[in-house]
Amino acid sequence: MSHEHRFPKEVVEIYEGIKNMSIRGAGRIAKYAVIALMKAAEDYKGGETRDFLQYMERVGSYLKSARPTAVSLPNAVTYVLSRLRKLSITSVEEGKQAVVNLAQEFVRKADEALKIIGELGSRRIENGDVLMTHCHSTAAVSVIVTAHRKGKVNVVYVKETRPAFQGLITAKALAEEGLEVIVIPDSSVRYFMKKVDKVVVGADTVAANGAVVNKIGTSLVALAAKEARVRFYVATETFKFSPYTLLGELVPIEVRDPREVVDEEWIRENEKVKIFNPVFDVTPPEYVDAIITEKGVIPPQAALLLLTEDYGIDLREIGMNPPATYEE
Ligand code: RUB
């Protein structure tokens, strides 16, 4: 990446961390992105306000390119930069302070959102419910832990979530909270669904039509849940709603290194075998009973409404030209 040498070390480290997944999960990615903007602003040396603003735009573009699927990443960058543009900054110092304030505001709102999601989501859980979850979602964990603290839930089936095994992060977090956690292989989802009352998962991106993009395998959980008439809930902050989908864009599905699936030696020994590793999939809105957000528990069909709220983005601010047919 040609930008690297021009950005502060901490910014490059966050970019690399997001790319190599040491910083992962859509919510954390968003928070680290705004922290990177803050570090870039604090580190900036130079006198001209215009140069500073252009520099911040470059940092934003760089960060946005770290991973493609979670819209929380561009949304978080846009949250800071679109507000910065509107502030009519007159000095570099003022600009730096504004970026720091906006980044801190984003992190604070994101933390508050997680708490509200936990509370609202826990109201959908009934006493004695057995839950299932997939991957590691801080929003889904917030719902499960809140429901547990209210004494409603004790047993959770956690899918291991190959190939990166994020399910084990969830298992550890829930076990530390005192829940009874049962880790199951991904392929056993339909086998175990009959023991489950509700499914709670997170989201990387929610499209304007309410389709949910989340860790690969989520759509199979939804399918098995629908068959078994088990409710399927998605817990997500509204900064994971995608304004790009309003512009007709499809959500890009990240494809990662085959070495996450099998080791290098096996690949060498079986060089004729192709390995394909898409890491997200799309759950259609018909499979989602409700989306639990900090703005309320909504049917997936209401996703569009949330796209224009607070965290939601003005179409002119998202850094891409609206199609020619777009009219206000
Ligand atoms: C993580 C994943 C999570 C969502 C929501 O994928 O799919 O379910 O990001 O998580 P990866 P959160 O591990 O590839 O980043 O609720 O924490 O934002």
Side-chain angles (χ1 to χ4, degrees), residues 55-120:
Y55 172 77
M56 289 311 301
E57 296 291 337
R58 284 202 303 279
V59 179
S61 307
Y62 169 62
L63 291 167
K64 283 196 267 185
S65 68
R67 270 186 95 183
T69 300
V71 77
S72 55
L73 175 56
N75 278 356
V77 170
T78 303
Y79 182 91
V80 173
L81 295 186
S82 70
R83 283 164 176 77
L84 181 68
R85 281 178 219 129
K86 284 186 189 139
L87 284 175
S88 315
I89 297 297
T90 54
S91 74
V92 171
E93 268 323 300
E94 197 189 330
K96 285 181 169 196
Q97 194 53 53
V99 172
V100 171
N101 291 346
L102 287 164
Q104 288 174 343
E105 179 181 85
F106 181 89
V107 172
R108 183 174 46 73
K109 282 190 182 182
D111 289 341
E112 277 166 17
L114 276 180
K115 284 196 198 115
I116 298 170
I117 288 166
E119 172 55 31
L120 300 187

Side-chain angles (χ1 to χ4, degrees), residues 21 24-27 67 135-139 166 202-204 214-215 240 280:
M21 285 174 63
R24 50 143 301 281
R67 270 186 95 183
C135 194
H136 173 250
S137 155
T138 44
Q166 293 94 330
D204 285 85
N214 191 49
K215 180 55 54 193
K240 295 171 190 160
F280 297 100

Side-chain angles (χ1 to χ4, degrees), residues 119-126 129 131 143 152 198 231 233 289-290 292 297-298:
E119 172 55 31
L120 300 187
S122 70
R123 295 180 188 171
R124 283 296 174 105
I125 311 295
E126 287 159 292
D129 273 353
L131 304 182
V143 171
K152 290 181 168 184
K198 277 158 197 138
R231 295 216 183 276
Y233 294 120
D289 285 288
I292 299 154
V297 179
I298 62 161

Side-chain angles (χ1 to χ4, degrees), residues 192-212:
F192 284 109
M193 193 55 81
K194 49 182 151 323
K195 300 182 192 293
V196 170
D197 297 298
K198 277 158 197 138
V199 174
V200 186
V201 297
D204 285 85
T205 293
V206 180
N209 70 346
V212 173

Side-chain angles (χ1 to χ4, degrees), residues 112-312:
E112 277 166 17
L114 276 180
K115 284 196 198 115
I116 298 170
I117 288 166
E119 172 55 31
L120 300 187
S122 70
R123 295 180 188 171
R124 283 296 174 105
I125 311 295
E126 287 159 292
N127 283 339
D129 273 353
V130 172
L131 304 182
M132 182 185 278
T133 191
H134 181 63
C135 194
H136 173 250
S137 155
T138 44
V141 166
S142 178
V143 171
I144 297 167
V145 166
T146 310
H148 173 68
R149 288 182 185 163
K150 288 182 176 180
K152 290 181 168 184
V153 52
N154 199 32
V155 181
V156 183
Y157 285 90
V158 176
K159 295 180 67 236
E160 57 181 356
T161 316
R162 281 170 191 263
F165 293 99
Q166 293 94 330
L168 302 185
I169 307 171
T170 306
K172 188 167 185 282
L174 296 180
E176 277 168 10
E177 279 289 329
L179 281 117
E180 187 183 325
V181 178
I182 304 158
V183 171
I184 56 170
D186 289 324
S187 44
S188 67
V189 56
R190 191 163 173 266
Y191 178 90
F192 284 109
M193 193 55 81
K194 49 182 151 323
K195 300 182 192 293
V196 170
D197 297 298
K198 277 158 197 138
V199 174
V200 186
V201 297
D204 285 85
T205 293
V206 180
N209 70 346
V212 173
V213 182
N214 191 49
K215 180 55 54 193
I216 193 86
T218 302
S219 67
L220 281 174
V221 185
L223 197 62
K226 196 167 185 70
E227 182 197 38
R229 304 175 75 84
V230 166
R231 295 216 183 276
F232 184 90
Y233 294 120
V234 175
T236 175
E237 305 89 326
T238 52
F239 61 72
K240 295 171 190 160
F241 286 62
S242 169
Y244 304 95
T245 59
L246 276 182
L247 299 174
E249 295 286 330
L250 296 174
V251 179
I253 300 294
E254 180 180 11
V255 176
R256 293 185 68 89
D257 198 313
R259 283 169 300 187
E260 291 180 357
V261 182
V262 280
D263 64 30
E264 201 138 15
E265 194 185 327
W266 196 95
I267 295 176
R268 259 200 316 277
E269 284 168 1
N270 300 276
E271 57 185 17
K272 287 197 177 134
V273 178
K274 290 188 189 124
I275 297 158
F276 196 56
N277 182 25
V279 295
F280 297 100
D281 67 15
V282 183
T283 301
E286 308 83 79
Y287 290 81
V288 177
D289 285 288
I291 302 182
I292 299 154
T293 80
E294 78 280 10
K295 303 248 180 227
V297 179
I298 62 161
Q301 291 74 14
L304 186 60
L305 294 176
L306 289 189
L307 270 167
T308 53
E309 292 270 329
D310 193 23
Y311 270 127

